[in-house]
Amino acid sequence: MRRLIVCLMLLLPGLLFAQHKKHPKKPAYNEEAEIALLRKHYDCFYTGKYSVEQRNEFYPFNTAGKIQLLSFMQPYDRFGDKEPTDGGPMYVQQADSSYAINESRVVIRLTLGKTDIDSLTNILYNYGFTPIRKPRTNVILINEPNGCYEPRSALLFLDVEGKVKEYIEYCFSCQGMSKSSQKISGYVMCNGKYEMLRQFFFNKGLTFGIRLRN
C-alpha cells in the first residue's frame, strides 16, 4: 500500500504538468497571404520534365512535317506600304481539313529549324505552375485577356505536303490565344509564358504587332 502511494505521488506532478502544457497555436489565417500564395502557384516554374524526344511526341509536333512562325496584320493594319487586300478570315478550313492562309494579311512566315523547335517545345512543355502547399482559401483566380483580342502572331503546323493542318494563334498585347483543335494540349499558360513566347518570336525577327516589356 505504501509503495502504491509513493508511485502515485511520483506520477502526480507529471500528470498535472501534462494538463497545463500549452499546445502550439495554429498560425492565424491571413486571406491576403493565402491569395498571394495562390498567385505564386500560377507563376511559371521550370520543371525540365520532358526530354527533347518526349516533347516531340506531343501533338501536333509529332505529325508536323514543318513548323512555321507567322506574323500577320489585322484587316485595318498597315505594314510599311503594305495593307491587306482581303479583309476576310485569317484561316479558312478546306474540304481536306487543312487551312488556307489569307496571304494578303501575312507579314512574315518563317520556317523553324530543329534547334528552334527544341527551344519552342522547351518553353511550351517544360514550364509549368510553381509547386506550393495547398492555399487555405476558396478564392478562384481567373486569367482574363487584358484588352481586346487582336492576334497578330501564330504557330503553323504543316504536313509533308505543305498544307497547314493546325495552328496556335497568339495575341501578345492582351495575353490571349486560340487553337485550331482541342487535341493541342499537354502544356499550361502559366504567368510568364506569353512573355517567353513573345521574346521567342521577337528574336526570330517577327516583330510586327509585338510590344516587348522592359
Side-chain angles (χ1 to χ4, degrees), residues 91 99 155-157 165-169 178-180 184:
Y91 323 92
Y99 292 89
L155 296 174
L156 302 179
F157 299 88
K165 302 300 288 186
E166 302 283 9
Y167 65 83
I168 307 175
E169 182 182 74
S178 175
K179 300 182 291 187
S180 56
I184 304 174

Side-chain angles (χ1 to χ4, degrees), residues 16-168:
L16 292 173
F17 176 77
Q19 290 178 353
H20 290 86
K21 185 177 179 181
K22 294 182 178 180
H23 296 285
K25 292 183 178 180
K26 291 183 179 180
Y29 178 74
N30 185 320
E31 179 78 3
E32 291 185 2
E34 294 301 312
I35 293 175
L37 182 64
L38 185 60
R39 292 185 188 280
K40 174 73 175 175
H41 170 63
Y42 288 108
D43 289 343
C44 283
F45 178 85
Y46 185 74
T47 65
K49 182 178 180 180
Y50 299 107
S51 66
V52 172
E53 293 75 20
Q54 290 172 320
R55 300 196 302 265
N56 289 337
E57 287 302 311
F58 284 102
Y59 182 82
F61 289 92
N62 61 345
T63 60
K66 188 183 295 183
I67 298 171
Q68 295 181 333
L69 300 184
L70 176 68
S71 179
F72 61 93
M73 294 179 281
Q74 289 295 327
Y76 44 81
D77 286 336
R78 291 179 65 91
F79 180 68
D81 295 332
K82 183 179 180 180
E83 58 183 310
T85 57
D86 180 356
M90 191 63 214
Y91 323 92
V92 178
Q93 193 163 27
Q94 306 298 294
D96 62 356
S97 297
S98 66
Y99 292 89
I101 302 299
N102 186 338
E103 295 294 340
S104 80
R105 292 173 58 184
V106 172
V107 176
I108 300 176
R109 199 167 165 176
L110 177 71
T111 300
L112 296 178
K114 182 181 182 305
T115 301
D116 293 327
I117 294 173
D118 292 348
S119 298
L120 175 62
T121 58
N122 190 47
I123 293 172
L124 289 175
Y125 299 111
N126 273 339
Y127 284 89
F129 295 130
T130 301
I132 58 170
R133 69 162 174 79
K134 185 177 180 180
R136 295 182 297 158
T137 177
N138 294 323
V139 172
I140 298 175
L141 299 179
I142 299 175
N143 187 18
E144 296 182 340
N146 182 22
C148 296
Y149 184 70
E150 298 177 325
R152 292 179 174 86
S153 306
L155 296 174
L156 302 179
F157 299 88
L158 291 69
D159 63 14
V160 293
E161 297 178 353
K163 295 181 179 180
V164 177
K165 302 300 288 186
E166 302 283 9
Y167 65 83
I168 307 175

Side-chain angles (χ1 to χ4, degrees), residues 145 149 151 168-171 174-179 184 187 189 194 197:
Y149 184 70
I168 307 175
E169 182 182 74
Y170 297 105
C171 172
C174 71
Q175 297 202 341
M177 62 174 289
S178 175
K179 300 182 291 187
I184 304 174
Y187 66 93
M189 295 305 293
Y194 279 109
L197 289 169

